[in-house]
Short mmCIF file of all heavy atoms in Angstrom, two decimals:
data_model
loop_
_atom_site.label_atom_id
_atom_site.label_comp_id
_atom_site.label_asym_id
_atom_site.label_seq_id
_atom_site.Cartn_x
_atom_site.Cartn_y
_atom_site.Cartn_z
N TYR W 291 0.87 -93.71 48.44
CA TYR W 291 -0.55 -94.09 48.45
C TYR W 291 -1.35 -93.18 47.52
O TYR W 291 -1.09 -91.97 47.45
CB TYR W 291 -1.09 -93.95 49.87
CG TYR W 291 -2.55 -94.28 49.95
CD1 TYR W 291 -2.96 -95.61 50.02
CD2 TYR W 291 -3.52 -93.29 49.91
CE1 TYR W 291 -4.30 -95.93 50.06
CE2 TYR W 291 -4.86 -93.61 49.96
CZ TYR W 291 -5.25 -94.92 50.04
OH TYR W 291 -6.58 -95.24 50.07
N GLY W 292 -2.31 -93.74 46.86
CA GLY W 292 -3.21 -92.88 46.08
C GLY W 292 -3.95 -93.64 45.01
O GLY W 292 -3.55 -94.72 44.59
N TRP W 293 -5.03 -93.06 44.57
CA TRP W 293 -5.94 -93.70 43.63
C TRP W 293 -5.55 -93.46 42.18
O TRP W 293 -6.12 -94.06 41.30
CB TRP W 293 -7.36 -93.21 43.88
CG TRP W 293 -8.07 -94.04 44.90
CD1 TRP W 293 -7.75 -94.17 46.21
CD2 TRP W 293 -9.21 -94.86 44.67
NE1 TRP W 293 -8.63 -95.02 46.83
CE2 TRP W 293 -9.55 -95.45 45.89
CE3 TRP W 293 -10.00 -95.13 43.55
CZ2 TRP W 293 -10.63 -96.31 46.05
CZ3 TRP W 293 -11.09 -95.99 43.69
CH2 TRP W 293 -11.37 -96.57 44.93
N SER W 294 -4.68 -92.60 41.90
CA SER W 294 -4.29 -92.21 40.54
C SER W 294 -5.36 -92.59 39.53
O SER W 294 -6.53 -92.28 39.70
CB SER W 294 -2.92 -92.76 40.17
OG SER W 294 -2.92 -94.13 39.98
N SER W 295 -5.00 -93.29 38.47
CA SER W 295 -5.97 -93.46 37.39
C SER W 295 -6.29 -94.93 37.18
O SER W 295 -5.52 -95.80 37.54
CB SER W 295 -5.36 -92.92 36.11
OG SER W 295 -4.09 -93.49 35.96
N HIS W 300 -1.06 -98.58 33.16
CA HIS W 300 -0.51 -97.26 33.46
C HIS W 300 -0.93 -96.78 34.84
O HIS W 300 -1.37 -95.63 35.00
CB HIS W 300 -0.96 -96.25 32.41
CG HIS W 300 -0.31 -96.44 31.08
ND1 HIS W 300 1.01 -96.16 30.83
CD2 HIS W 300 -0.81 -96.90 29.90
CE1 HIS W 300 1.30 -96.42 29.57
NE2 HIS W 300 0.22 -96.88 28.99
N ALA W 302 0.03 -95.47 38.20
CA ALA W 302 1.27 -94.84 38.64
C ALA W 302 1.88 -95.53 39.85
O ALA W 302 3.09 -95.75 39.93
CB ALA W 302 1.00 -93.37 38.96
N TYR W 324 -6.16 -95.55 53.38
CA TYR W 324 -6.94 -94.50 54.04
C TYR W 324 -8.42 -94.88 54.06
O TYR W 324 -9.19 -94.37 54.86
CB TYR W 324 -6.75 -93.16 53.32
CG TYR W 324 -5.49 -92.44 53.75
CD1 TYR W 324 -4.25 -92.81 53.23
CD2 TYR W 324 -5.54 -91.43 54.69
CE1 TYR W 324 -3.09 -92.17 53.62
CE2 TYR W 324 -4.38 -90.79 55.10
CZ TYR W 324 -3.16 -91.15 54.58
OH TYR W 324 -2.01 -90.53 54.99
N SER W 325 -8.83 -95.76 53.15
CA SER W 325 -10.24 -96.13 53.07
C SER W 325 -10.68 -96.93 54.29
O SER W 325 -11.69 -96.63 54.90
CB SER W 325 -10.51 -96.98 51.83
OG SER W 325 -10.22 -96.27 50.68
N ARG W 506 -13.39 -94.68 59.93
CA ARG W 506 -12.37 -93.68 59.63
C ARG W 506 -12.41 -92.58 60.68
O ARG W 506 -12.50 -91.39 60.39
CB ARG W 506 -12.63 -93.13 58.22
CG ARG W 506 -11.36 -92.69 57.51
CD ARG W 506 -11.63 -92.23 56.10
NE ARG W 506 -12.08 -93.28 55.24
CZ ARG W 506 -13.15 -93.20 54.44
NH1 ARG W 506 -13.88 -92.11 54.41
NH2 ARG W 506 -13.49 -94.21 53.67
N ALA W 601 3.88 -90.94 43.31
CA ALA W 601 3.34 -90.98 41.95
C ALA W 601 1.92 -91.52 42.02
O ALA W 601 1.71 -92.66 42.40
CB ALA W 601 4.20 -91.87 41.05
N GLY W 602 0.96 -90.68 41.67
CA GLY W 602 -0.43 -91.15 41.61
C GLY W 602 -1.20 -91.00 42.90
O GLY W 602 -2.20 -91.68 43.11
N GLY W 603 -0.78 -90.11 43.76
CA GLY W 603 -1.53 -89.83 44.99
C GLY W 603 -1.34 -88.38 45.37
O GLY W 603 -0.44 -87.71 44.85
N ASN W 604 -2.16 -87.92 46.28
CA ASN W 604 -2.10 -86.50 46.66
C ASN W 604 -2.22 -86.38 48.18
O ASN W 604 -3.28 -86.07 48.70
CB ASN W 604 -3.23 -85.76 45.94
CG ASN W 604 -3.18 -84.26 46.17
OD1 ASN W 604 -2.24 -83.75 46.78
ND2 ASN W 604 -4.18 -83.57 45.67
N HIS W 607 -3.95 -83.67 49.78
CA HIS W 607 -5.40 -83.77 49.82
C HIS W 607 -5.79 -84.76 50.92
O HIS W 607 -6.65 -84.48 51.74
CB HIS W 607 -5.96 -84.26 48.48
CG HIS W 607 -7.13 -85.17 48.63
ND1 HIS W 607 -8.30 -84.72 49.19
CD2 HIS W 607 -7.30 -86.48 48.38
CE1 HIS W 607 -9.15 -85.74 49.24
NE2 HIS W 607 -8.57 -86.81 48.78
N HIS W 608 -5.15 -85.95 50.94
CA HIS W 608 -5.74 -87.05 51.69
C HIS W 608 -5.32 -87.15 53.15
O HIS W 608 -6.00 -87.80 53.94
CB HIS W 608 -5.54 -88.39 50.98
CG HIS W 608 -4.15 -88.95 50.92
ND1 HIS W 608 -3.61 -89.43 49.75
CD2 HIS W 608 -3.22 -89.18 51.86
CE1 HIS W 608 -2.41 -89.91 49.99
NE2 HIS W 608 -2.15 -89.78 51.26
N GLN W 610 -4.33 -85.92 57.10
CA GLN W 610 -4.98 -85.03 58.06
C GLN W 610 -3.98 -83.97 58.54
O GLN W 610 -2.77 -84.15 58.40
CB GLN W 610 -5.51 -85.85 59.26
CG GLN W 610 -6.74 -86.66 58.93
CD GLN W 610 -6.55 -87.65 57.80
OE1 GLN W 610 -5.76 -88.56 57.92
NE2 GLN W 610 -7.26 -87.49 56.69
N ASN W 628 5.43 -87.34 40.63
CA ASN W 628 4.89 -87.43 39.26
C ASN W 628 3.40 -87.17 39.38
O ASN W 628 2.71 -87.87 40.14
CB ASN W 628 4.96 -88.85 38.69
CG ASN W 628 6.35 -89.37 38.44
OD1 ASN W 628 7.32 -88.76 38.82
ND2 ASN W 628 6.42 -90.53 37.78
N ASP W 629 2.89 -86.22 38.66
CA ASP W 629 1.44 -86.02 38.60
C ASP W 629 1.10 -85.35 37.29
O ASP W 629 1.99 -84.81 36.61
CB ASP W 629 0.93 -85.20 39.80
CG ASP W 629 -0.54 -85.51 40.12
OD1 ASP W 629 -1.39 -85.38 39.22
OD2 ASP W 629 -0.83 -85.90 41.27
N SER W 630 -0.17 -85.40 36.95
CA SER W 630 -0.62 -84.75 35.72
C SER W 630 -0.90 -83.27 35.96
O SER W 630 -0.93 -82.49 35.02
CB SER W 630 -1.91 -85.40 35.22
OG SER W 630 -1.93 -86.75 35.52
N VAL W 631 -1.16 -82.94 37.21
CA VAL W 631 -1.61 -81.59 37.54
C VAL W 631 -0.85 -81.05 38.75
O VAL W 631 -0.27 -81.82 39.51
CB VAL W 631 -3.13 -81.59 37.84
CG1 VAL W 631 -3.95 -81.70 36.56
CG2 VAL W 631 -3.51 -82.69 38.81
N THR W 633 -0.88 -80.32 41.85
CA THR W 633 -1.53 -80.49 43.16
C THR W 633 -0.73 -79.79 44.25
O THR W 633 0.43 -79.40 44.04
CB THR W 633 -1.58 -81.99 43.54
OG1 THR W 633 -0.22 -82.43 43.64
CG2 THR W 633 -2.32 -82.81 42.50
N ALA W 645 2.99 -85.97 34.17
CA ALA W 645 2.50 -87.27 33.68
C ALA W 645 1.26 -87.07 32.80
O ALA W 645 0.55 -86.07 32.92
CB ALA W 645 2.15 -88.16 34.88
N THR W 646 1.02 -88.06 31.96
CA THR W 646 -0.18 -88.04 31.12
C THR W 646 -1.42 -88.39 31.96
O THR W 646 -1.31 -88.92 33.07
CB THR W 646 -0.05 -89.09 30.01
OG1 THR W 646 0.31 -90.34 30.61
CG2 THR W 646 0.99 -88.69 28.99
N ARG W 651 -3.49 -92.09 26.64
CA ARG W 651 -2.72 -93.34 26.47
C ARG W 651 -3.66 -94.53 26.32
O ARG W 651 -4.79 -94.52 26.81
CB ARG W 651 -1.76 -93.54 27.64
CG ARG W 651 -2.45 -93.52 28.96
CD ARG W 651 -1.50 -93.24 30.12
NE ARG W 651 -2.22 -93.43 31.37
CZ ARG W 651 -2.04 -92.71 32.47
NH1 ARG W 651 -1.15 -91.75 32.52
NH2 ARG W 651 -2.74 -92.97 33.55
N ASP W 679 3.86 -92.30 33.05
CA ASP W 679 4.72 -92.68 34.19
C ASP W 679 5.70 -93.77 33.77
O ASP W 679 6.85 -93.78 34.19
CB ASP W 679 3.87 -93.17 35.36
CG ASP W 679 3.06 -92.06 36.00
OD1 ASP W 679 3.64 -91.24 36.71
OD2 ASP W 679 1.84 -92.01 35.74
N ALA W 803 -16.23 -84.89 57.53
CA ALA W 803 -15.41 -84.65 56.32
C ALA W 803 -15.48 -85.93 55.49
O ALA W 803 -14.62 -86.78 55.57
CB ALA W 803 -13.98 -84.33 56.74
N ASN W 804 -16.53 -86.02 54.69
CA ASN W 804 -16.79 -87.30 53.99
C ASN W 804 -16.36 -87.22 52.54
O ASN W 804 -15.77 -86.25 52.08
CB ASN W 804 -18.26 -87.68 54.15
CG ASN W 804 -19.19 -86.64 53.53
OD1 ASN W 804 -18.74 -85.63 53.02
ND2 ASN W 804 -20.47 -86.90 53.59
N GLN W 805 -16.67 -88.28 51.78
CA GLN W 805 -16.25 -88.35 50.38
C GLN W 805 -17.15 -87.46 49.52
O GLN W 805 -18.35 -87.38 49.75
CB GLN W 805 -16.35 -89.79 49.88
CG GLN W 805 -15.50 -90.77 50.66
CD GLN W 805 -14.02 -90.48 50.50
OE1 GLN W 805 -13.55 -90.18 49.42
NE2 GLN W 805 -13.29 -90.56 51.60
N LEU W 810 -13.84 -87.86 42.32
CA LEU W 810 -13.17 -88.85 43.16
C LEU W 810 -12.06 -88.12 43.92
O LEU W 810 -11.12 -87.61 43.31
CB LEU W 810 -12.57 -89.96 42.30
CG LEU W 810 -11.59 -90.89 43.02
CD1 LEU W 810 -12.25 -91.60 44.20
CD2 LEU W 810 -10.99 -91.91 42.07
N HIS W 811 -12.18 -88.07 45.23
CA HIS W 811 -11.18 -87.42 46.06
C HIS W 811 -10.88 -86.01 45.50
O HIS W 811 -11.79 -85.25 45.31
CB HIS W 811 -9.92 -88.27 46.18
CG HIS W 811 -10.18 -89.68 46.62
ND1 HIS W 811 -10.97 -89.98 47.69
CD2 HIS W 811 -9.79 -90.87 46.11
CE1 HIS W 811 -11.03 -91.29 47.85
NE2 HIS W 811 -10.33 -91.86 46.89
N SER W 812 -9.58 -85.75 45.19
CA SER W 812 -9.24 -84.42 44.68
C SER W 812 -9.13 -84.41 43.16
O SER W 812 -8.77 -83.40 42.56
CB SER W 812 -7.90 -83.96 45.28
OG SER W 812 -6.82 -84.72 44.77
N GLN W 813 -9.43 -85.56 42.54
CA GLN W 813 -9.17 -85.67 41.10
C GLN W 813 -10.17 -84.86 40.29
O GLN W 813 -11.37 -84.94 40.49
CB GLN W 813 -9.20 -87.13 40.65
CG GLN W 813 -8.04 -87.91 41.23
CD GLN W 813 -7.94 -89.31 40.66
OE1 GLN W 813 -8.09 -89.52 39.46
NE2 GLN W 813 -7.69 -90.27 41.53
N THR W 877 -14.26 -83.97 51.28
CA THR W 877 -12.84 -83.86 50.96
C THR W 877 -12.66 -83.53 49.47
O THR W 877 -13.59 -83.70 48.68
CB THR W 877 -12.10 -85.18 51.24
OG1 THR W 877 -12.67 -86.18 50.40
CG2 THR W 877 -12.23 -85.59 52.68
N ASN W 899 -9.13 -81.22 55.39
CA ASN W 899 -7.94 -81.72 56.07
C ASN W 899 -7.03 -80.59 56.56
O ASN W 899 -6.01 -80.85 57.20
CB ASN W 899 -7.19 -82.72 55.19
CG ASN W 899 -7.88 -84.09 55.24
OD1 ASN W 899 -8.38 -84.49 56.30
ND2 ASN W 899 -7.95 -84.77 54.12
N THR W 902 -8.59 -81.24 60.23
CA THR W 902 -8.65 -82.53 60.92
C THR W 902 -7.39 -82.81 61.74
O THR W 902 -6.30 -82.39 61.36
CB THR W 902 -8.85 -83.68 59.91
OG1 THR W 902 -7.87 -83.53 58.86
CG2 THR W 902 -10.22 -83.66 59.30
N GLY W 916 -9.76 -89.38 59.81
CA GLY W 916 -10.04 -88.04 59.28
C GLY W 916 -11.50 -87.68 59.11
O GLY W 916 -11.83 -86.59 58.67
N GLN W 917 -12.41 -88.58 59.44
CA GLN W 917 -13.82 -88.36 59.11
C GLN W 917 -14.49 -87.28 59.96
O GLN W 917 -15.37 -86.58 59.47
CB GLN W 917 -14.57 -89.69 59.26
CG GLN W 917 -16.00 -89.67 58.83
CD GLN W 917 -16.20 -89.79 57.32
OE1 GLN W 917 -17.31 -89.82 56.86
NE2 GLN W 917 -15.14 -89.85 56.57
P1 PGD C 215 -6.69 -88.56 44.81
O1 PGD C 215 -7.26 -87.19 44.73
O2 PGD C 215 -7.47 -89.65 44.18
O3 PGD C 215 -6.55 -88.84 46.37
O4 PGD C 215 -6.44 -89.96 48.56
P2 PGD C 215 -5.73 -89.99 47.12
O5 PGD C 215 -4.33 -89.51 47.30
O6 PGD C 215 -5.96 -91.28 46.45
O7 PGD C 215 -5.20 -88.54 44.28
C1 PGD C 215 -4.79 -89.17 43.13
C2 PGD C 215 -3.73 -88.32 42.43
O8 PGD C 215 -3.24 -89.06 41.31
C3 PGD C 215 -4.26 -87.02 41.88
O9 PGD C 215 -3.42 -85.96 42.25
C4 PGD C 215 -4.24 -87.23 40.36
O10 PGD C 215 -4.01 -86.04 39.64
C5 PGD C 215 -3.07 -88.18 40.21
N1 PGD C 215 -3.09 -88.95 38.97
C6 PGD C 215 -4.17 -89.36 38.25
N2 PGD C 215 -3.76 -90.08 37.19
C7 PGD C 215 -2.41 -90.13 37.24
C8 PGD C 215 -1.41 -90.76 36.44
O11 PGD C 215 -1.69 -91.45 35.47
N3 PGD C 215 -0.12 -90.61 36.81
C9 PGD C 215 0.23 -89.88 37.90
N4 PGD C 215 1.53 -89.78 38.20
N5 PGD C 215 -0.69 -89.27 38.68
C10 PGD C 215 -1.99 -89.41 38.36
C11 PGD C 215 -7.67 -90.53 48.79
C12 PGD C 215 -7.82 -90.87 50.29
O12 PGD C 215 -8.20 -89.69 51.01
C13 PGD C 215 -8.80 -91.94 50.54
S1 PGD C 215 -8.77 -93.34 49.53
C14 PGD C 215 -9.66 -91.91 51.58
S2 PGD C 215 -10.88 -93.10 51.75
C15 PGD C 215 -9.58 -90.91 52.65
N6 PGD C 215 -10.83 -90.28 52.92
C16 PGD C 215 -10.86 -89.22 53.74
C17 PGD C 215 -12.02 -88.83 54.51
O13 PGD C 215 -13.08 -89.48 54.48
N7 PGD C 215 -11.93 -87.72 55.27
C18 PGD C 215 -10.81 -87.00 55.36
N8 PGD C 215 -10.78 -85.92 56.12
N9 PGD C 215 -9.72 -87.35 54.64
C19 PGD C 215 -9.69 -88.42 53.86
N10 PGD C 215 -8.55 -88.73 53.15
C20 PGD C 215 -8.40 -89.97 52.43
#
Side-chain angles (χ1 to χ4, degrees):
Y291 178 81
W293 272 64
S294 71
S295 51
H300 288 289
Y324 277 80
S325 298
R506 210 176 293 131
N604 185 5
H607 143 63
H608 69 227
Q610 286 59 63
N628 293 8
D629 206 304
S630 327
V631 285
T633 62
T646 51
R651 55 200 189 216
D679 291 286
N804 62 358
Q805 301 295 318
L810 167 60
H811 308 311
S812 69
Q813 292 188 43
T877 61
N899 281 323
T902 50
Q917 186 80 178

